Amino acid sequence: MNEIQPSPLHMRGLTTLRRVAPSQPVTADRLGALADLPGFWEGTGFSLIARPDYSGRSENGFYLQLNLLHETIEFTSIGSPVFNRGSEQGDIAIYGVTYLHRVTDGTNGGALHIEPGMWLTIPATTAPKADASIARLGTIPHGNAFCTVGFVQHAEFNKVPEIPPANTIPFPINGKPPEPGSKNPYPEYDLAIPSQFRTNPVPAGIVQAMIDDPNQVLRDTLNHQVFEQGQTLKQITRLITSTAGGIANIPFITTNANTLDLDSVFAIETVVDALGNEFLQLQYSQTGLLNFKGKSFPHVTVGTLIKAF
């Protein structure tokens, strides 16, 4: 007579280890500072990148590309825990979200960037001894994969917050970025000087102040909301991360425009409109350094997105 045999999982007693997603409130609690991310966000931004020019015609060896952006990011909760097994301390459970970031040209709709990745929330550990932290992991079809690690800042606001400047001036590899307000010696960055090695025509809406400091775009957005639309910035949660040399590149990238550093701040903002309605806004600023011809060329991208769904 044929007998029903227990499943291999049952025989090993592993059914109790099945990971399933808990209720939405429990998931949100486990996500911590990432709890407001899941959903669909849409908005606009600005990108500045000095990319290598192999033609030999550029005296400085690069072409300055300037783009206005249309952006979407979709975040999805990783509902179940991800266990990291410890050898020097007990196991830890990590929670997080996946994301897909799509960027198209805000002027002509052309494809510019696509980035699948994850944000993770990591508990405090004893080995290594570290406070609770966050991490951002992403892959880019140029042939880069990065892992940034950092921390969270929470703040209550009733005014426009200060946003420090973002440097766009190239500087020696492993050197110190120029002080804010320093003059950029490269004519490609000066809109008053015609250049065939800069986006031409410059998209309407891009002005010199944005090239000198792309974070001015974020300040202008907030000032417009607060002082012209009567909105109030109620709360900000900043996700601040850095690679500290944690980028893997394909050999072509390593040889031609080696990219080893990425710093970013993603600010989840609770905004109240003039009618008292709350909505969520995501502002970000990130700088990656492209290293070629003995210089680090900052690739700066900023954006403001609204949570739509």
Side-chain angles (χ1 to χ4, degrees):
M1 178 183 295
N2 292 330
E3 296 182 0
I4 298 176
Q5 298 295 323
S7 70
L9 285 178
H10 179 75
M11 291 174 65
R12 296 201 302 266
L14 296 181
T15 53
T16 56
L17 298 182
R18 185 172 61 136
R19 301 177 196 171
V20 293
S23 66
Q24 186 174 356
V26 171
T27 298
D29 183 64
R30 290 173 171 176
L31 288 176
L34 310 180
D36 283 328
L37 288 180
F40 183 85
W41 304 70
E42 186 170 14
T44 59
F46 169 65
S47 172
L48 175 152
I49 180 172
R51 50 183 174 82
D53 181 83
Y54 184 66
S55 69
R57 296 182 295 112
S58 170
E59 178 182 355
N60 294 313
F62 69 87
Y63 181 95
L64 185 66
Q65 182 174 326
L66 307 170
N67 296 97
L68 296 175
L69 312 176
H70 175 260
E71 309 185 57
T72 65
I73 309 179
E74 186 163 12
F75 297 92
T76 303
S77 297
I78 304 172
S80 57
V82 178
F83 291 106
N84 279 358
R85 309 302 182 179
S87 61
E88 302 296 326
Q89 73 154 85
D91 299 348
I92 63 171
I94 290 177
Y95 297 89
V97 299
T98 63
Y99 70 85
L100 181 61
H101 189 181
R102 299 178 186 269
V103 182
T104 55
D105 188 285
T107 301
N108 60 33
L112 288 177
H113 180 81
I114 186 167
E115 179 187 316
M118 290 181 281
W119 281 92
L120 306 175
T121 179
I122 305 164
T125 58
T126 57
K129 185 173 178 55
D131 295 331
S133 60
I134 55 172
R136 175 186 167 207
L137 291 72
T139 53
I140 301 168
H142 289 294
N144 318 87
F146 65 83
C147 175
T148 64
V149 180
F151 57 96
V152 177
Q153 280 184 347
H154 295 286
E156 301 286 337
F157 277 93
N158 56 12
K159 61 179 182 179
V160 175
E162 293 184 7
I163 300 176
N167 173 59
T168 59
I169 303 175
F171 57 94
I173 294 174
N174 297 323
K176 184 179 179 181
E179 293 295 325
S182 298
K183 181 175 176 53
N184 195 320
Y186 294 97
E188 292 86 350
Y189 290 80
D190 189 344
L191 293 182
I193 302 175
S195 175
Q196 60 179 319
F197 299 104
R198 180 177 62 227
T199 299
N200 186 29
V202 174
I206 293 180
V207 297
Q208 187 63 48
M210 297 165 59
I211 296 172
D212 295 339
D213 176 13
N215 282 353
Q216 187 61 43
V217 178
L218 304 180
R219 296 187 204 99
D220 288 345
T221 297
L222 292 176
N223 285 328
H224 177 74
Q225 289 177 312
V226 172
F227 298 113
E228 297 185 33
Q229 295 184 326
Q231 299 179 357
T232 303
L233 192 58
K234 180 179 176 181
Q235 179 177 303
I236 299 178
T237 297
R238 293 190 178 99
L239 311 176
I240 303 170
T241 64
S242 176
T243 52
I247 296 181
N249 304 299
I250 62 173
F252 182 90
I253 295 292
T254 301
T255 300
N256 290 274
N258 200 20
T259 306
L260 298 176
D261 298 283
L262 178 67
D263 298 293
S264 68
V265 178
F266 280 70
I268 306 168
E269 300 166 346
T270 302
V271 184
V272 182
D273 67 19
L275 299 177
N277 301 307
E278 283 192 4
F279 64 92
L280 289 174
Q281 179 169 277
L282 181 65
Q283 289 197 305
Y284 77 90
S285 174
Q286 68 176 25
T287 300
L289 297 180
L290 279 63
N291 296 330
F292 59 94
K293 296 189 176 298
K295 300 283 187 179
S296 287
F297 292 83
H299 172 22
V300 186
T301 311
V302 299
T304 301
L305 298 89
I306 302 296
K307 190 172 185 178
F309 294 98

Coordinates of all heavy atoms in Angstrom, one line a residue, residues 56-57 102 112 132 158 172 212 221 249 276 298-299:
G56 N 39.7 64.6 -28.4 CA 41.0 65.3 -28.4 C 40.8 66.8 -28.8 O 41.7 67.6 -28.8
R57 N 39.5 67.2 -29.0 CA 39.3 68.6 -29.3 C 39.1 69.4 -28.1 O 39.2 70.6 -28.1 CB 38.0 68.6 -30.3 CG 38.2 68.0 -31.6 CD 37.0 68.1 -32.5 NE 35.9 67.4 -32.0 CZ 34.8 68.0 -31.5 NH1 34.7 69.3 -31.5 NH2 33.8 67.3 -31.0
R102 N 13.7 55.8 -12.0 CA 13.7 56.1 -13.5 C 13.8 57.6 -13.7 O 13.1 58.4 -13.1 CB 12.5 55.6 -14.2 CG 12.2 54.1 -14.1 CD 10.9 53.7 -14.8 NE 10.5 52.3 -14.7 CZ 10.9 51.4 -15.5 NH1 11.6 51.6 -16.5 NH2 10.5 50.1 -15.3
L112 N 17.6 58.7 -19.4 CA 18.9 59.2 -18.8 C 19.4 58.2 -17.8 O 20.6 58.0 -17.7 CB 18.7 60.5 -18.2 CG 18.5 61.7 -19.1 CD1 18.2 63.0 -18.3 CD2 19.7 61.9 -20.0
A132 N 22.7 51.8 15.5 CA 21.7 51.5 14.4 C 22.1 52.4 13.2 O 22.5 53.5 13.3 CB 20.3 51.7 14.9
N158 N 9.5 74.8 11.3 CA 8.4 75.7 11.0 C 9.0 76.8 10.1 O 8.4 77.9 9.9 CB 7.8 76.4 12.2 CG 8.9 77.0 13.1 OD1 10.0 77.2 12.7 ND2 8.5 77.4 14.3
P172 N 41.8 67.9 -7.5 CA 42.7 66.8 -7.6 C 42.2 65.5 -6.9 O 41.6 65.6 -5.9 CB 44.0 67.3 -7.0 CG 44.0 68.8 -7.1 CD 42.5 69.1 -7.0
D212 N 26.6 76.6 -10.3 CA 27.6 76.8 -9.2 C 27.2 76.0 -8.0 O 28.1 75.6 -7.3 CB 27.5 78.3 -8.9 CG 28.0 79.2 -10.0 OD1 28.8 78.7 -10.9 OD2 27.7 80.4 -10.0
T221 N 12.8 75.6 -4.6 CA 11.5 74.8 -4.5 C 10.9 75.1 -3.1 O 9.7 75.4 -3.0 CB 11.8 73.3 -4.7 OG1 12.3 73.1 -6.0 CG2 10.5 72.6 -4.5
N249 N 33.1 48.7 -10.0 CA 32.9 49.1 -11.4 C 33.4 48.1 -12.4 O 34.4 47.3 -12.1 CB 33.7 50.4 -11.6 CG 33.3 51.5 -10.7 OD1 32.2 52.0 -10.7 ND2 34.3 52.0 -9.9
G276 N -4.4 73.2 4.8 CA -4.3 72.3 5.9 C -4.1 70.8 5.6 O -4.1 70.0 6.5
P298 N 32.9 66.3 -9.9 CA 31.6 66.0 -9.3 C 30.4 65.8 -10.2 O 30.2 66.7 -11.1 CB 31.4 67.2 -8.4 CG 32.8 67.8 -8.2 CD 33.4 67.6 -9.5
H299 N 29.7 64.7 -10.1 CA 28.5 64.5 -10.8 C 27.4 64.7 -9.8 O 27.1 63.9 -8.9 CB 28.4 63.1 -11.4 CG 27.1 62.7 -12.0 ND1 26.2 63.6 -12.4 CD2 26.6 61.4 -12.2 CE1 25.1 62.9 -12.9 NE2 25.3 61.6 -12.7

